[in-house]
Protein backbone atom coordinates (compact mmCIF):
# COMPACT_ATOMS: atom_id res chain seq x y z
CA UNK A 1 0.00 0.00 0.00
CA UNK A 2 1.30 3.45 -0.96
CA UNK A 3 0.02 6.55 0.79
CA UNK A 4 0.52 10.17 -0.17
CA UNK A 5 0.42 12.57 2.78
CA UNK A 6 -0.25 16.23 2.05
CA UNK A 7 0.11 19.26 4.28
CA UNK A 8 -1.11 22.39 2.51
CA UNK A 9 -0.21 25.73 4.07
CA UNK A 10 -1.09 29.21 2.83
CA UNK A 11 1.95 29.41 0.55
CA UNK A 12 3.36 25.91 0.69
CA UNK A 13 2.52 22.27 0.02
CA UNK A 14 4.51 19.56 1.81
CA UNK A 15 4.21 15.95 0.72
CA UNK A 16 5.50 12.50 1.59
CA UNK A 17 4.81 9.14 0.04
CA UNK A 18 4.99 6.13 2.34
CA UNK A 19 5.32 2.46 1.39
CA UNK A 20 3.21 1.05 4.18
CA UNK A 21 4.59 -2.52 4.23
CA UNK A 22 7.52 -1.16 6.25
CA UNK A 23 6.39 2.47 6.66
CA UNK A 24 9.35 3.69 4.62
CA UNK A 25 9.39 7.14 3.03
CA UNK A 26 9.63 6.69 -0.75
CA UNK A 27 9.82 10.39 -1.52
CA UNK A 28 9.15 13.69 0.10
CA UNK A 29 9.08 17.25 -1.05
CA UNK A 30 7.85 20.75 -0.64
CA UNK A 31 6.50 23.47 -2.88
CA UNK A 32 7.26 26.84 -1.35
CA UNK A 33 6.42 30.46 -2.13
CA UNK A 34 3.19 29.59 -3.97
CA UNK A 35 1.87 32.78 -5.58
CA UNK A 36 5.33 34.28 -6.12
CA UNK A 37 7.31 34.27 -9.37
CA UNK A 38 10.22 32.36 -7.80
CA UNK A 39 8.23 29.54 -6.25
CA UNK A 40 10.25 26.35 -5.72
CA UNK A 41 9.50 22.66 -5.86
CA UNK A 42 12.06 20.58 -3.99
CA UNK A 43 11.55 16.87 -4.56
CA UNK A 44 13.56 14.25 -2.69
CA UNK A 45 13.19 10.67 -3.86
CA UNK A 46 14.69 8.47 -1.12
CA UNK A 47 18.23 7.32 -1.93
CA UNK A 48 18.50 9.55 -4.99
CA UNK A 49 19.55 13.17 -5.64
CA UNK A 50 17.06 15.88 -4.84
CA UNK A 51 15.49 17.86 -7.68
CA UNK A 52 14.78 21.57 -7.47
CA UNK A 53 12.55 23.46 -9.88
CA UNK A 54 12.18 27.25 -9.57
CA UNK A 55 9.27 28.68 -11.52
CA UNK A 56 6.09 30.69 -11.15
CA UNK A 57 3.50 28.60 -9.29
CA UNK A 58 0.32 30.70 -9.07
CA UNK A 59 -1.84 28.46 -6.90
CA UNK A 60 -2.23 25.19 -4.99
CA UNK A 61 -3.69 23.42 -8.04
CA UNK A 62 -0.50 24.11 -10.00
CA UNK A 63 1.64 23.08 -7.03
CA UNK A 64 -0.18 19.73 -6.71
CA UNK A 65 0.01 19.11 -10.43
CA UNK A 66 3.80 19.76 -10.35
CA UNK A 67 4.11 17.40 -7.38
CA UNK A 68 2.14 14.79 -9.37
CA UNK A 69 4.55 15.22 -12.31
CA UNK A 70 7.55 14.84 -9.99
CA UNK A 71 6.15 11.67 -8.42
CA UNK A 72 5.62 10.06 -11.84
CA UNK A 73 8.70 11.46 -13.59
CA UNK A 74 10.67 8.81 -15.53
CA UNK A 75 13.98 9.86 -13.92
CA UNK A 76 13.16 10.92 -10.40
CA UNK A 77 9.62 9.69 -9.90
CA UNK A 78 8.66 6.85 -7.59
CA UNK A 79 5.54 5.48 -9.29
CA UNK A 80 4.69 4.97 -12.97
CA UNK A 81 1.22 6.32 -12.55
CA UNK A 82 -0.64 8.03 -9.75
CA UNK A 83 -3.28 5.33 -9.60
CA UNK A 84 -0.59 3.33 -7.79
CA UNK A 85 -1.27 5.61 -4.82
CA UNK A 86 -3.89 3.85 -2.69
CA UNK A 87 -5.03 6.80 -0.64
CA UNK A 88 -4.19 10.44 0.09
CA UNK A 89 -4.07 11.68 3.69
CA UNK A 90 -4.65 15.42 4.14
CA UNK A 91 -3.54 17.23 7.27
CA UNK A 92 -6.39 19.53 8.30
CA UNK A 93 -5.76 21.98 11.10
CA UNK A 94 -9.32 22.59 12.29
CA UNK A 95 -11.96 19.90 12.57
CA UNK A 96 -14.06 21.90 15.02
CA UNK A 97 -16.28 19.94 17.39
CA UNK A 98 -17.63 17.87 14.50
CA UNK A 99 -14.69 15.56 13.80
CA UNK A 100 -13.60 13.31 16.63
CA UNK A 101 -11.35 11.25 14.37
CA UNK A 102 -10.06 11.01 10.83
CA UNK A 103 -12.73 10.95 8.11
CA UNK A 104 -12.94 9.67 4.53
CA UNK A 105 -13.41 12.75 2.39
CA UNK A 106 -16.75 13.00 0.61
CA UNK A 107 -19.07 15.84 -0.33
CA UNK A 108 -20.44 16.09 3.20
CA UNK A 109 -16.99 16.31 4.76
CA UNK A 110 -15.99 18.98 2.25
CA UNK A 111 -19.13 20.96 3.08
CA UNK A 112 -18.32 20.73 6.80
CA UNK A 113 -14.73 21.83 6.14
CA UNK A 114 -16.03 24.81 4.21
CA UNK A 115 -18.24 25.69 7.15
CA UNK A 116 -15.22 25.45 9.47
CA UNK A 117 -13.13 27.94 7.49
CA UNK A 118 -14.70 30.63 9.63
CA UNK A 119 -12.90 29.15 12.65
CA UNK A 120 -9.61 28.66 10.85
CA UNK A 121 -9.46 31.28 8.10
CA UNK A 122 -5.70 30.96 7.70
CA UNK A 123 -5.42 27.20 7.87
CA UNK A 124 -8.41 25.42 6.40
CA UNK A 125 -8.74 27.18 2.99
CA UNK A 126 -5.35 25.94 1.73
CA UNK A 127 -6.29 22.40 2.83
CA UNK A 128 -9.54 22.66 0.89
CA UNK A 129 -7.61 23.94 -2.12
CA UNK A 130 -5.33 20.89 -1.76
CA UNK A 131 -8.31 18.52 -1.64
CA UNK A 132 -9.85 20.05 -4.78
CA UNK A 133 -6.48 20.00 -6.56
CA UNK A 134 -6.10 16.29 -5.77
CA UNK A 135 -9.58 15.57 -7.16
CA UNK A 136 -8.26 16.99 -10.44
CA UNK A 137 -4.71 15.62 -10.41
CA UNK A 138 -5.38 12.16 -8.92
CA UNK A 139 -9.02 11.47 -9.76
CA UNK A 140 -10.65 8.46 -8.17
CA UNK A 141 -8.03 7.95 -5.44
CA UNK A 142 -9.76 8.03 -2.03
CA UNK A 143 -8.78 10.76 0.39
CA UNK A 144 -8.79 11.04 4.17
CA UNK A 145 -8.88 14.13 6.35
CA UNK A 146 -6.78 13.92 9.52
CA UNK A 147 -7.45 16.73 11.97
CA UNK A 148 -5.09 18.46 14.41
CA UNK A 149 -8.05 19.01 16.70
CA UNK A 150 -9.43 15.44 16.78
CA UNK A 151 -7.17 14.05 19.52
CA UNK A 152 -8.44 16.71 21.93
CA UNK A 153 -12.10 15.83 21.56
CA UNK A 154 -11.73 13.69 24.68
CA UNK A 155 -11.45 16.78 26.90
CA UNK A 156 -14.20 17.24 29.46
CA UNK A 157 -16.33 20.43 29.37
CA UNK A 158 -14.52 21.71 32.46
CA UNK A 159 -11.32 21.74 30.39
CA UNK A 160 -12.70 22.93 27.07
CA UNK A 161 -15.14 25.62 28.19
CA UNK A 162 -14.09 29.19 28.82
CA UNK A 163 -15.63 31.01 31.76
CA UNK A 164 -17.58 33.30 29.41
CA UNK A 165 -21.38 33.46 29.43
CA UNK A 166 -22.52 29.95 28.52
CA UNK A 167 -24.52 31.36 25.58
CA UNK A 168 -21.23 32.25 23.87
CA UNK A 169 -20.57 28.52 23.66
CA UNK A 170 -24.13 27.68 22.66
CA UNK A 171 -24.50 30.47 20.13
CA UNK A 172 -21.01 30.70 18.66
CA UNK A 173 -19.32 27.44 19.63
CA UNK A 174 -16.61 29.27 21.56
CA UNK A 175 -14.54 26.66 23.35
CA UNK A 176 -11.05 25.21 23.53
CA UNK A 177 -10.30 22.90 20.60
CA UNK A 178 -6.54 22.34 20.92
CA UNK A 179 -4.13 21.59 18.08
CA UNK A 180 -1.05 19.46 17.33
CA UNK A 181 -3.29 16.45 18.00
CA UNK A 182 -1.66 14.26 15.38
CA UNK A 183 1.72 14.89 16.96
CA UNK A 184 0.29 14.08 20.39
CA UNK A 185 -1.16 10.82 19.11
CA UNK A 186 2.14 9.80 17.54
CA UNK A 187 4.10 10.67 20.69
CA UNK A 188 1.65 8.71 22.86
CA UNK A 189 2.13 5.63 20.73
CA UNK A 190 5.94 6.01 20.83
CA UNK A 191 5.92 6.37 24.63
CA UNK A 192 3.86 3.17 24.88
CA UNK A 193 6.34 1.32 22.66
CA UNK A 194 9.48 2.69 24.30
CA UNK A 195 8.31 2.11 27.87
CA UNK A 196 6.42 -1.09 26.99
CA UNK A 197 3.54 0.24 29.05
CA UNK A 198 0.02 0.84 27.76
CA UNK A 199 -0.94 4.51 27.60
CA UNK A 200 -3.95 3.59 29.75
CA UNK A 201 -1.51 3.31 32.67
CA UNK A 202 0.43 6.52 31.99
CA UNK A 203 0.27 10.23 32.69
CA UNK A 204 2.14 12.03 29.92
CA UNK A 205 2.82 15.71 29.37
CA UNK A 206 3.77 16.32 25.76
CA UNK A 207 5.53 19.58 24.93
CA UNK A 208 5.32 20.23 21.20
CA UNK A 209 7.79 23.08 20.75
CA UNK A 210 8.11 24.18 17.13
CA UNK A 211 7.24 27.51 15.56
CA UNK A 212 3.84 26.89 17.06
CA UNK A 213 4.06 25.53 20.60
CA UNK A 214 1.57 23.64 22.72
CA UNK A 215 1.59 21.41 25.78
CA UNK A 216 -0.91 18.62 26.29
CA UNK A 217 -1.82 16.59 29.34
CA UNK A 218 -2.46 13.00 28.27
CA UNK A 219 -3.98 10.70 30.87
CA UNK A 220 -4.94 7.13 30.07
CA UNK A 221 -4.02 7.80 26.41
CA UNK A 222 -6.51 10.67 26.17
CA UNK A 223 -6.04 14.42 25.97
CA UNK A 224 -7.40 15.87 29.19
CA UNK A 225 -6.18 19.42 28.65
CA UNK A 226 -4.08 21.36 26.19
CA UNK A 227 -2.62 24.84 26.06
CA UNK A 228 -3.87 25.96 22.63
CA UNK A 229 -7.49 26.98 22.59
CA UNK A 230 -10.20 28.23 20.28
CA UNK A 231 -7.35 29.08 17.92
CA UNK A 232 -3.64 28.17 17.94
CA UNK A 233 -2.86 31.54 19.57
CA UNK A 234 -3.52 30.63 23.19
CA UNK A 235 -1.07 29.10 25.64
CA UNK A 236 2.69 29.18 25.41
CA UNK A 237 4.79 31.98 24.06
CA UNK A 238 5.75 30.93 20.50
CA UNK A 239 7.92 32.04 17.56
CA UNK A 240 5.64 34.91 16.53
CA UNK A 241 2.52 34.31 18.66
CA UNK A 242 2.07 35.82 22.10
CA UNK A 243 0.19 32.96 23.76
CA UNK A 244 -1.59 33.92 26.99
CA UNK A 245 -2.06 37.62 27.66
CA UNK A 246 -4.69 39.42 29.69
CA UNK A 247 -7.62 39.64 27.22
CA UNK A 248 -8.19 43.24 28.30
CA UNK A 249 -4.87 44.11 26.66
CA UNK A 250 -6.45 43.52 23.24
CA UNK A 251 -9.13 46.20 23.58
CA UNK A 252 -6.64 48.58 25.21
CA UNK A 253 -4.02 48.15 22.49
CA UNK A 254 -6.67 48.61 19.78
CA UNK A 255 -7.68 51.92 21.31
CA UNK A 256 -4.16 53.13 21.89
CA UNK A 257 -2.81 52.14 18.46
CA UNK A 258 -6.02 52.91 16.60
CA UNK A 259 -6.13 49.35 15.27
CA UNK A 260 -9.04 47.31 14.00
CA UNK A 261 -9.52 43.67 15.02
CA UNK A 262 -7.48 42.44 12.07
CA UNK A 263 -4.49 44.60 12.99
CA UNK A 264 -4.64 43.48 16.62
CA UNK A 265 -4.80 39.85 15.54
CA UNK A 266 -1.85 40.37 13.16
CA UNK A 267 0.21 41.81 15.99
CA UNK A 268 -0.54 38.92 18.35
CA UNK A 269 -0.14 36.19 15.73
CA UNK A 270 2.75 37.47 13.64
CA UNK A 271 4.77 40.04 15.56
CA UNK A 272 4.80 38.78 19.13
CA UNK A 273 6.42 35.84 20.92
CA UNK A 274 10.18 35.31 20.54
CA UNK A 275 10.22 37.76 17.64
CA UNK A 276 8.27 40.46 19.42
CA UNK A 277 10.20 40.33 22.69
CA UNK A 278 13.70 39.87 21.24
CA UNK A 279 13.17 42.13 18.24
CA UNK A 280 15.60 39.76 16.52
CA UNK A 281 13.86 36.71 15.06
CA UNK A 282 11.15 34.11 15.50
CA UNK A 283 13.82 31.46 15.00
CA UNK A 284 15.09 30.36 18.38
CA UNK A 285 18.55 29.64 16.97
CA UNK A 286 19.02 33.32 16.08
CA UNK A 287 17.62 34.45 19.42
CA UNK A 288 20.06 32.17 21.29
CA UNK A 289 22.94 33.41 19.17
CA UNK A 290 22.14 37.02 20.01
CA UNK A 291 21.61 36.26 23.71
CA UNK A 292 25.06 34.66 23.80
CA UNK A 293 26.49 37.91 22.51
CA UNK A 294 24.85 39.75 25.41
CA UNK A 295 21.64 40.98 23.74
CA UNK A 296 19.36 41.57 26.73
CA UNK A 297 15.99 41.29 25.00
CA UNK A 298 16.98 38.00 23.38
CA UNK A 299 17.91 36.63 26.79
CA UNK A 300 14.62 37.92 28.16
CA UNK A 301 12.70 36.21 25.33
CA UNK A 302 14.41 32.88 26.11
CA UNK A 303 13.70 33.19 29.83
CA UNK A 304 10.06 34.08 29.22
CA UNK A 305 9.67 31.21 26.76
CA UNK A 306 11.05 28.69 29.26
CA UNK A 307 8.93 30.08 32.05
CA UNK A 308 5.78 29.67 29.99
CA UNK A 309 6.69 26.03 29.32
CA UNK A 310 7.38 25.35 32.99
CA UNK A 311 4.11 27.01 34.00
CA UNK A 312 2.02 24.69 31.83
CA UNK A 313 3.97 21.59 32.85
CA UNK A 314 3.36 22.53 36.48
CA UNK A 315 -0.32 23.17 35.88
CA UNK A 316 -0.84 19.84 34.12
CA UNK A 317 1.12 17.94 36.77
CA UNK A 318 -1.31 19.32 39.30
CA UNK A 319 -4.31 18.67 37.07
CA UNK A 320 -3.38 15.01 36.56
CA UNK A 321 -2.20 14.62 40.13
CA UNK A 322 1.29 13.70 38.94
CA UNK A 323 3.12 12.76 35.76
CA UNK A 324 5.14 9.75 34.63
CA UNK A 325 6.71 11.06 31.44
CA UNK A 326 7.37 14.53 30.06
CA UNK A 327 8.13 14.53 26.34
CA UNK A 328 9.92 17.30 24.48
CA UNK A 329 9.36 17.28 20.73
CA UNK A 330 9.33 19.32 17.46
CA UNK A 331 12.10 21.70 16.31
CA UNK A 332 12.97 23.18 19.69
CA UNK A 333 12.26 20.12 21.83
CA UNK A 334 14.28 17.85 19.56
CA UNK A 335 17.23 20.19 18.98
CA UNK A 336 17.76 22.66 21.79
CA UNK A 337 19.75 21.36 24.79
CA UNK A 338 19.63 24.87 26.26
CA UNK A 339 15.83 25.06 26.47
CA UNK A 340 15.58 21.43 27.63
CA UNK A 341 18.02 22.05 30.45
CA UNK A 342 16.40 25.30 31.56
CA UNK A 343 13.00 23.58 31.68
CA UNK A 344 14.22 20.44 33.45
CA UNK A 345 16.14 22.41 36.11
CA UNK A 346 12.82 23.95 37.16
CA UNK A 347 11.29 20.54 37.65
CA UNK A 348 13.74 19.03 40.11
CA UNK A 349 11.17 19.64 42.86
CA UNK A 350 8.87 17.14 41.15
CA UNK A 351 11.47 14.37 40.95
CA UNK A 352 13.11 15.15 37.60
CA UNK A 353 16.75 14.02 37.81
CA UNK A 354 18.30 15.73 34.84
CA UNK A 355 21.16 14.04 32.95
CA UNK A 356 23.31 16.70 31.32
CA UNK A 357 25.34 14.19 29.28
CA UNK A 358 22.25 12.66 27.67
CA UNK A 359 20.93 16.16 27.03
CA UNK A 360 23.81 16.83 24.63
CA UNK A 361 22.29 14.35 22.16
CA UNK A 362 19.84 15.81 19.66
CA UNK A 363 17.26 14.51 17.26
CA UNK A 364 16.87 10.94 18.51
CA UNK A 365 14.59 9.12 20.91
CA UNK A 366 16.15 9.04 24.35
CA UNK A 367 15.68 9.98 27.99
CA UNK A 368 17.43 13.08 29.34
CA UNK A 369 16.83 12.06 32.94
CA UNK A 370 18.88 9.60 35.02
CA UNK A 371 17.66 5.98 35.02
CA UNK A 372 16.07 6.15 38.50
CA UNK A 373 14.37 9.52 37.96
CA UNK A 374 10.88 9.59 39.46
CA UNK A 375 9.61 11.55 36.46
CA UNK A 376 11.13 10.59 33.12
CA UNK A 377 11.85 13.33 30.58
CA UNK A 378 12.25 12.13 27.01
CA UNK A 379 13.15 13.65 23.68
CA UNK A 380 11.06 12.02 20.97
CA UNK A 381 11.15 13.36 17.40
CA UNK A 382 7.58 13.73 16.24
CA UNK A 383 6.33 12.35 12.93
CA UNK A 384 2.95 13.79 12.05
CA UNK A 385 3.18 12.61 8.43
CA UNK A 386 3.64 8.97 9.44
CA UNK A 387 0.73 9.28 11.87
CA UNK A 388 -1.47 10.67 9.08
CA UNK A 389 -0.40 7.77 6.82
CA UNK A 390 -1.29 5.28 9.57
CA UNK A 391 -4.70 6.88 10.10
CA UNK A 392 -5.35 6.82 6.35
CA UNK A 393 -4.35 3.15 6.20
CA UNK A 394 -6.69 2.26 9.05
CA UNK A 395 -9.64 4.01 7.41
CA UNK A 396 -8.93 2.44 4.03
CA UNK A 397 -8.77 -1.03 5.56
CA UNK A 398 -12.05 -0.41 7.42
CA UNK A 399 -13.65 0.68 4.16
CA UNK A 400 -12.46 -2.48 2.43
CA UNK A 401 -13.93 -4.60 5.21
CA UNK A 402 -17.22 -2.70 4.93
CA UNK A 403 -17.30 -3.24 1.14
CA UNK A 404 -16.33 -6.95 1.40
P1 LIG B 1 7.00 24.04 12.65
O1 LIG B 1 6.06 24.42 13.74
O2 LIG B 1 7.11 25.06 11.57
O3 LIG B 1 6.85 22.61 12.16
P2 LIG B 1 9.54 23.09 13.71
O4 LIG B 1 9.04 21.95 14.48
O5 LIG B 1 10.37 22.82 12.50
O6 LIG B 1 8.41 24.14 13.36
O7 LIG B 1 10.43 23.99 14.72
C1 LIG B 1 10.95 25.22 14.35
C2 LIG B 1 11.67 25.82 15.55
O8 LIG B 1 12.70 24.92 15.98
C3 LIG B 1 12.36 27.15 15.23
O9 LIG B 1 12.10 28.10 16.22
C4 LIG B 1 13.83 26.79 15.27
O10 LIG B 1 14.60 27.85 15.72
C5 LIG B 1 13.85 25.67 16.28
N1 LIG B 1 15.09 24.91 16.15
C6 LIG B 1 15.45 24.05 15.18
N2 LIG B 1 16.70 23.60 15.39
C7 LIG B 1 17.14 24.20 16.54
C8 LIG B 1 18.36 24.17 17.29
N3 LIG B 1 19.38 23.43 16.91
N4 LIG B 1 18.42 24.94 18.41
C9 LIG B 1 17.41 25.70 18.80
N5 LIG B 1 16.24 25.76 18.13
C10 LIG B 1 16.11 25.04 17.02
Amino acid sequence: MKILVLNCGSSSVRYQVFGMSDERVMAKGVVEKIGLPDATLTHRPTGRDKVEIVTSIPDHATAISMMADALTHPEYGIVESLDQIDIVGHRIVHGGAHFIGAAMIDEQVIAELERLTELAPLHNPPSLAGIHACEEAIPGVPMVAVFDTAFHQTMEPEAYLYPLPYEMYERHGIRRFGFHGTSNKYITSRVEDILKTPAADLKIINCHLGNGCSITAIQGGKSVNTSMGFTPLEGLMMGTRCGDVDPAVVAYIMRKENWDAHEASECMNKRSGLLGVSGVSNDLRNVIEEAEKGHMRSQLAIDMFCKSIVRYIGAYMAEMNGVDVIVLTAGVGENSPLIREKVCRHLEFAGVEFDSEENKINGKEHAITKPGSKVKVMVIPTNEELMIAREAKTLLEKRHVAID
Side-chain angles (χ1 to χ4, degrees), residues 43 64 73 123 192 225 281 350 369 399:
H43 174 73
I64 299 270
H73 195 275
H123 292 105
E192 279 190 309
N225 211 339
S281 170
T369 39
R399 190 167 98 144

Side-chain angles (χ1 to χ4, degrees), residues 33-47:
K33 298 203 220 168
I34 294 173
L36 295 178
D38 60 338
T40 315
L41 166 82
T42 311
H43 174 73
R44 296 169 197 273
T46 303

